């Protein structure tokens, strides 16, 4: 029996797809082993958003060959789609597969025999027009379920549409079926993932279903205790979705909404599909329905043309906004996108300084959000990692709670009252048996 090991770079979507490729191997009689277990085959799932994608890919190939010098090395993922030739030239790589081919990997590389030259199977991205259902098992507690792929937007900094193709989705019936399958394995929480998740419902370029319809149907999958929406564009986060989440007992009061900039000038240069006023309105709407809802924000600093004043506009906007944490990215040039050709390049030093300022703001926001929740009651879904005799889990509204390790609690929800934020920034809690209200 041949053995195969995997390595994933990048986002939740990549993790869910690696898991699915792993299951395809297992269905064909391969055995899945750890990276260090001298496998016969390695599959490395790459990311194009990661900085130094090339360097990271080379490093992992090198590591793989250290553990298994004769292994067959296959590279898939966004970076493989964007740069198949360069990747095939990395010493030790045997095959490169693009977005349209990665789920046919076992058939295409039949036998996994090494050839004189690396094999490259990467068609044009327009060929990647089918949807492949995927979900991951990170731990026994939560699963990332891919419901949508690709993106029809054209943000000027983003390479994802080139690596993943047009927006396309699973059907609601299939997603519901997958959710039941996941529930049977004992998982309690599903995170809905996609490239542009809120754009769910397009098939062959036509809108046949909507994200709102999807969440309504999933709410009836009673064996799953919790659903989270991984990320949703502000222009697609409608009031009906917000109101639905507020009423639902299964959809958690937690949204992650990319902002990217708090300056309308920069938002226009980025070709985002909203202005800061719409973003502020979405946050206000969420908070009016769910005052303790967690709101996470993606933000890019140092985009071409961003002056110090523009950056301060973003800083002040975020400072005043009732959001809970920020994911901050210093702008990084991507080939074949419009932004690198724009005027007003920001120095790397300024990009990093601005990123640091926002990261400090994020810490303050998070601490404030945690403190607002002290004294309130929630349920916590505990995970099975033990660290120094302690275990951790998330509340409904994404507060990280720490407790003394108790094996009985693993993958169980427990009612607690939040008591204090400890020195590590984690929430401490006391047990409570009072009926817990969601918001
Ligand atoms: S919405 Fe913009 S940033 Fe997000 S994947 Fe699409 S093009 Fe990229």
């Amino acid at each position: 029996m041949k053995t195969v090991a995997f390595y994933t770079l990048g986002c939740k979507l990549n993790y869910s797809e690696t898991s699915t490729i792993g299951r395809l191997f297992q269905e064909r009689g391969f055995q899945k082993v750890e990276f260090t277990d001298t496998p016969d085959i390695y599959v490395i799932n790459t990311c194009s958003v990661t900085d130094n994608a090339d360097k990271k890919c080379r490093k992992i190939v090198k590591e793989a060959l250290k553990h298994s010098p004769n292994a067959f090395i296959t590279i898939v993922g966004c970076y493989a789609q964007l740069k198949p030739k360069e990747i095939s030239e990395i010493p030790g790589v045997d095959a490169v597969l693009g977005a349209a081919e990665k789920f046919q990997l076992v058939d295409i590389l039949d036998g996994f025999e090494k050839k004189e030259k690396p094999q490259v199977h990467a068609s044009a991205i327009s060929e990647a027009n089918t949807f492949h259902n995927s979900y991951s098992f990170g731990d026994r507690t939560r699963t990332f379920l891919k419901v949508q792929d690709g993106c029809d937007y054209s943000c000027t900094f983003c390479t994802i549409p080139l690596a993943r193709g047009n927006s396309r989705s699973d059907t609601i019936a299939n997603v519901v079926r997958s959710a039941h399958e996941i529930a049977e394995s004992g998982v309690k929480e599903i995170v809905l993932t996609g490239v542009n998740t809120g754009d769910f419902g397009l098939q062959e370029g036509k809108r046949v279903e909507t994200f709102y319809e999807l969440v309504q149907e999933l709410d009836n999958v009673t064996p799953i205790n919790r659903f989270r929406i991984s990320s949703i564009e502000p222009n697609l986060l409608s009031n009906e979705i917000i109101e639905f989440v507020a009423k639902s007992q299964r959809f958690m009061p937690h949204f992650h909404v990319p902002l990217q900039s708090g300056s309308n000038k920069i938002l226009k240069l980025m070709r985002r599909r909203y202005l800061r006023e719409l973003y502020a309105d979405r946050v206000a709407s969420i908070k009016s329905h769910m005052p303790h809802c967690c709101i996470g924000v993606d933000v890019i600093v140092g985009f071409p043309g961003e002056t110090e004043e523009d950056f301060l506009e973003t800083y002040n906007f975020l400072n005043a906004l009732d959001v809970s944490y920020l994911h901050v990215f210093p702008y990084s040039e991507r080939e074949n996108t419009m932004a690198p050709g724009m005027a007003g390049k920001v120095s790397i030093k300024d990009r990093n300084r601005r990123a640091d300022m926002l990261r400090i703001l994020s810490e303050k926001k998070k601490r404030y959000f945690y403190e607002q929740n002290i004294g309130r009651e929630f349920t916590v879904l505990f995970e099975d990692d033990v660290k120094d005799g302690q275990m951790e889990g998330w509340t409904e509204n994404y507060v990280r709670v720490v407790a003394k390790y108790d094996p009985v609690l693993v993958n169980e929800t427990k009612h607690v009252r939040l008591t204090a934020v400890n020195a590590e920034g984690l929430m401490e809690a006391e047990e409570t048996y009072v009926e817990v209200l969601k918001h």
Side-chain angles (χ1 to χ4, degrees):
M1 186 189 279
K2 281 201 170 171
T3 55
V4 54
F6 296 87
Y7 192 93
T8 310
L9 286 160
C11 63
K12 290 164 183 162
L13 212 61
N14 265 13
Y15 280 90
S16 70
E17 291 182 347
T18 304
S19 288
T20 298
I21 295 171
R23 285 191 288 278
L24 295 174
F25 269 95
Q26 284 169 314
E27 280 162 20
R28 303 287 283 272
F30 292 79
Q31 190 193 350
K32 209 170 143 187
V33 295
E34 295 298 320
F35 194 85
T36 49
D37 284 347
T38 326
D40 301 308
I41 303 158
Y42 279 105
V43 178
I44 300 168
N45 195 357
T46 61
C47 170
S48 58
V49 176
T50 329
D51 271 332
N52 303 321
D54 175 71
K55 220 161 122 196
K56 284 189 181 147
C57 189
R58 279 173 198 275
K59 196 161 173 229
I60 295 154
V61 171
K62 229 169 157 183
E63 275 301 301
L65 290 171
K66 235 193 304 178
H67 294 292
S68 187
N70 299 319
F72 187 98
I73 307 229
T74 316
I75 315 286
V76 298
C78 294
Y79 192 52
Q81 174 65 39
L82 291 176
K83 299 269 166 138
K85 193 169 170 296
E86 279 91 328
I87 291 178
S88 71
E89 284 160 7
I90 297 176
V93 168
D94 294 294
V96 183
L97 278 87
E101 291 85 9
K102 63 189 168 196
F103 292 101
Q104 276 88 50
L105 188 158
V106 185
D107 288 316
I108 293 175
L109 302 176
D110 188 30
F112 292 88
E113 295 302 333
K114 280 178 176 281
K115 303 234 160 83
E116 217 172 287
K117 277 193 180 159
Q119 308 176 49
V120 177
H121 303 273
S123 354
I125 193 60
S126 53
E127 300 294 313
N129 47 18
T130 50
F131 183 86
H132 289 272
N133 155 294
S134 298
Y135 55 83
S136 71
F137 288 110
D139 55 31
R140 286 185 291 145
T141 314
R142 67 207 305 232
T143 285
F144 299 110
L145 172 59
K146 175 177 138 188
V147 299
Q148 183 275 346
D149 201 348
C151 185
D152 293 344
Y153 290 12
S154 44
C155 303
T156 52
F157 55 83
C158 184
T159 189
I160 292 177
L162 301 172
R164 285 194 166 266
N166 286 340
S167 180
R168 55 207 188 271
S169 307
D170 208 345
T171 61
I172 292 177
N174 265 335
V175 177
V176 168
R177 203 172 305 128
S178 299
H180 279 288
E181 240 171 71
I182 291 165
E184 275 167 30
S185 70
V187 167
K188 301 273 168 62
E189 177 171 318
I190 291 181
V191 184
L192 303 180
T193 57
V195 170
N196 188 344
T197 313
D199 195 37
F200 174 90
L202 286 177
Q203 275 164 39
E204 289 167 15
K206 285 198 200 88
R207 179 154 317 278
V208 285
E209 293 172 323
T210 67
F211 189 65
Y212 180 50
E213 289 163 358
L214 173 70
V215 295
Q216 286 173 293
E217 285 302 319
L218 284 174
D219 209 40
N220 299 322
V221 181
T222 51
I224 292 291
N225 298 27
R226 292 176 163 195
F227 286 99
R228 275 183 214 277
I229 300 165
S230 65
S231 177
I232 184 162
E233 291 289 305
N235 49 305
L236 297 174
L237 180 55
S238 62
N239 274 340
E240 57 183 9
I241 294 173
I242 295 170
E243 281 160 24
F244 181 79
V245 170
K247 283 197 221 104
S248 159
Q249 285 303 311
R250 286 201 175 72
F251 274 84
M252 296 293 104
H254 173 202
F255 290 101
H256 192 92
V257 191
L259 167 68
Q260 311 309 13
S261 176
S263 147
N264 281 343
K265 175 189 122 186
I266 299 297
L267 287 173
K268 285 178 193 163
L269 288 173
M270 287 175 163
R271 286 217 189 141
R272 302 287 291 165
R273 299 196 176 194
Y274 54 86
L275 296 176
R276 62 191 239 143
E277 290 73 18
L278 178 124
Y279 195 96
D281 176 69
R282 299 296 76 208
V283 170
S285 172
I286 293 170
K287 287 290 177 171
S288 74
H289 290 92
M290 294 167 272
H292 294 278
C293 186
C294 179
I295 304 177
V297 185
D298 285 340
V299 53
I300 296 173
V301 289
F303 186 81
E306 186 189 72
T307 61
E308 201 60 21
E309 290 70 41
D310 299 328
F311 166 68
L312 288 176
E313 215 185 308
T314 296
Y315 187 95
N316 293 334
F317 180 68
L318 284 166
N319 196 18
L321 210 58
D322 193 0
V323 294
S324 324
Y325 64 90
L326 316 174
H327 284 171
V328 184
F329 305 91
Y331 169 72
S332 169
E333 285 81 359
R334 301 279 173 243
E335 264 178 58
N336 298 319
T337 57
M338 281 175 72
M342 293 179 176
K345 191 174 156 103
V346 179
S347 71
I348 301 285
K349 198 168 147 231
D350 280 340
R351 294 182 205 181
N352 290 336
R353 180 180 50 80
R354 291 174 191 176
D356 286 345
M357 280 175 71
L358 284 186
R359 287 189 186 119
I360 294 168
L361 179 64
S362 177
E363 278 308 306
K364 285 190 196 154
K365 292 260 168 205
K366 190 177 149 201
R367 181 132 202 139
Y368 180 75
F369 175 67
Y370 273 31
E371 280 167 0
Q372 294 299 302
N373 283 286
I374 291 175
R376 294 181 54 82
E377 290 160 11
F378 292 95
T379 60
V380 178
L381 177 57
F382 281 103
E383 296 159 13
D384 63 357
D385 279 349
V386 198
K387 255 188 264 154
D388 305 326
Q390 296 200 299
M391 67 198 308
E392 294 175 12
W394 299 108
T395 61
E396 291 92 331
N397 64 344
Y398 215 56
V399 171
R400 191 74 172 158
V401 172
V402 63
K404 194 166 166 284
Y405 178 69
D406 177 350
V408 172
L409 286 183
V410 171
N411 202 19
E412 295 296 335
T413 41
K414 186 175 161 126
H415 292 185
V416 298
R417 179 180 295 110
L418 307 185
T419 54
V421 184
N422 72 13
E424 280 81 47
L426 297 169
M427 184 64 87
E428 292 175 351
E430 61 189 17
E431 195 171 339
T432 161
Y433 295 100
V434 184
E435 188 59 30
V436 174
L437 294 172
K438 196 178 131 200
H439 308 306

